[in-house]
Amino acid sequence: MNSLFRIRRSPSIFVFPLHMGGSNATSLELAAIFTPPYNAARYGISLTSSPRQADVVLLVGSFTPKMAGPVLDLLASLPDDVKLLQVGSDSTAAAPFARSYTAFGPLQPGVAAGAAEEEGKGFFLPPGKTITAYIAGAPPDPEVIIEAILDACR
C-alpha cells in the first residue's frame, strides 16, 4: 500500500511556505518561482494550503517572538517524512535581524527546546525534525529555490 501511495504522489511536489516573520524579500522571490519566467509547475512543484499535505515546508523569514508558538506547534504536528528547507539568510542566520529584540535567531536542530530558550539564542526544532537544506541568499534567486526543492525530494 505504501508503494502505491508513493507512486501516486511522485509526479508532484507539494510545497507549503511557512512565513515566520521578518522582511518579505524572500517571500517575493518565492512567489516568483510560479511566474512564467521560472514556471515551477513544469517540474511538478505546486503550492498547498495545508502543511499536513505538504512534501516540503519552506521556512521563510526570521524567527520572531510572535510566531514562536505557532511555528513550533506546526512543526511538531508535521509527519516525519516532510522535508524542511530554510530559505534566505534571514531564516538561516537571522540576518540582518540577528542582534534585534524582534528576532530569536534561526531554528536550530539539536537538543531540548528549553536549553535554547534559556540562553536566548533561538529555539531548537521539535524532536525528530531536521532541516533538509539551507538556501543561502538575501533573498535567494528563484532558480536556486527550485533546484533546492527538487534536490530535497530526490
Short mmCIF file of all heavy atoms in Angstrom, two decimals, residues 25 44 121:
data_model
loop_
_atom_site.label_atom_id
_atom_site.label_comp_id
_atom_site.label_asym_id
_atom_site.label_seq_id
_atom_site.Cartn_x
_atom_site.Cartn_y
_atom_site.Cartn_z
N ALA A 25 11.25 40.08 1.44
CA ALA A 25 12.07 39.92 0.24
C ALA A 25 12.10 38.47 -0.24
O ALA A 25 11.93 38.19 -1.42
CB ALA A 25 13.48 40.44 0.49
N GLY A 44 6.62 20.03 -11.61
CA GLY A 44 5.70 19.34 -10.73
C GLY A 44 5.60 19.95 -9.34
O GLY A 44 5.09 19.33 -8.42
N LYS A 121 19.24 32.24 22.50
CA LYS A 121 19.88 32.17 21.19
C LYS A 121 19.04 31.40 20.19
O LYS A 121 19.57 30.68 19.37
CB LYS A 121 21.26 31.53 21.32
CG LYS A 121 22.21 32.32 22.17
CD LYS A 121 23.59 31.73 22.15
CE LYS A 121 24.50 32.60 22.99
NZ LYS A 121 25.85 32.13 23.00
#
